[in-house]
Amino acid sequence: DTDYTVNGTMEDANAGDNKNVNVTVTLKNSNYSLAKNTTTTKVKIMAKAVEATVTVEKESFIYNGKAHEPKVVVKDGNTTIDEKEYTVSYANNTNAGKATVTITNEEGGNYAVSGGTNFIIARYDISTAPVQVIFEKSLTYNDKPQVPWFCC
């Protein structure tokens, strides 16, 4: 058991250098006195390093010739990390196959975050699409092998 208590309050709880902490000392024993019972000191609050859980709003797309960039949610446990804390990049996100999402830390935030996930781009099924072939039905002899011109 001590004859005093110490309490501190932060002016700003975000990560960074030279953060002010206001410290108050309260004496429990009236046999002692303090000339000054408050002070302010500086501390450094380090960003929390996390291997984040990264999810995408939609895990599967159908190929359409355009880049797919689904909305990303990044979490530290149950806490959603603010979008300002990281940048999102996509790779292999246009053609059919496995696409990649990568999270890269933004300096100066409360988190040092990294991670990633994947999503799928499925092939576009054209087996039921109507196909009409138009081709040149007659050719003129030219003493060379010829292939009829055609288009769909």
Side-chain angles (χ1 to χ4, degrees):
D1 193 29
T2 60
D3 291 331
Y4 59 89
T5 59
V6 179
N7 291 310
T9 57
M10 301 287 300
E11 291 180 4
D12 175 9
N14 292 313
D17 294 332
N18 295 317
K19 300 292 183 163
N20 287 333
V21 180
N22 299 315
V23 179
T24 303
V25 177
T26 305
L27 298 175
K28 293 181 185 177
N29 186 325
S30 62
N31 293 320
Y32 302 102
S33 67
L34 289 171
K36 182 178 178 188
N37 73 331
T38 62
T39 188
T40 300
T41 189
K42 303 253 184 217
V43 297
K44 178 178 183 175
I45 301 175
M46 305 288 290
K48 181 180 180 182
V50 295
E51 183 68 29
T53 302
V54 181
T55 58
V56 288
E57 68 177 339
K58 189 175 175 184
E59 294 180 352
S60 180
F61 295 85
I62 296 174
Y63 170 78
N64 65 3
K66 298 177 183 175
H68 294 279
E69 296 184 352
K71 182 174 172 35
V72 174
V73 176
V74 179
K75 289 190 172 190
D76 172 25
N78 291 326
T79 303
T80 300
I81 298 173
D82 191 296
E83 294 175 2
K84 296 174 193 166
E85 297 277 348
Y86 55 87
T87 57
V88 180
S89 60
Y90 299 88
N92 303 318
N93 59 324
T94 302
N95 295 319
K98 182 169 71 170
T100 302
V101 178
T102 303
I103 302 304
T104 305
N105 187 57
E106 279 289 329
E107 293 298 321
N110 290 322
Y111 291 90
V113 62
S114 63
T117 192
N118 297 304
F119 63 93
I120 299 298
I121 301 173
R123 293 179 179 158
Y124 181 79
D125 183 3
I126 62 170
S127 62
T128 60
V131 177
Q132 179 182 13
V133 177
I134 302 168
F135 61 94
E136 192 174 12
K137 293 183 180 182
S138 63
L139 301 171
T140 304
Y141 174 77
N142 66 5
D143 196 31
K144 296 179 185 171
Q146 297 186 55
V147 176
W149 174 88
F150 63 93
C151 176
C152 49

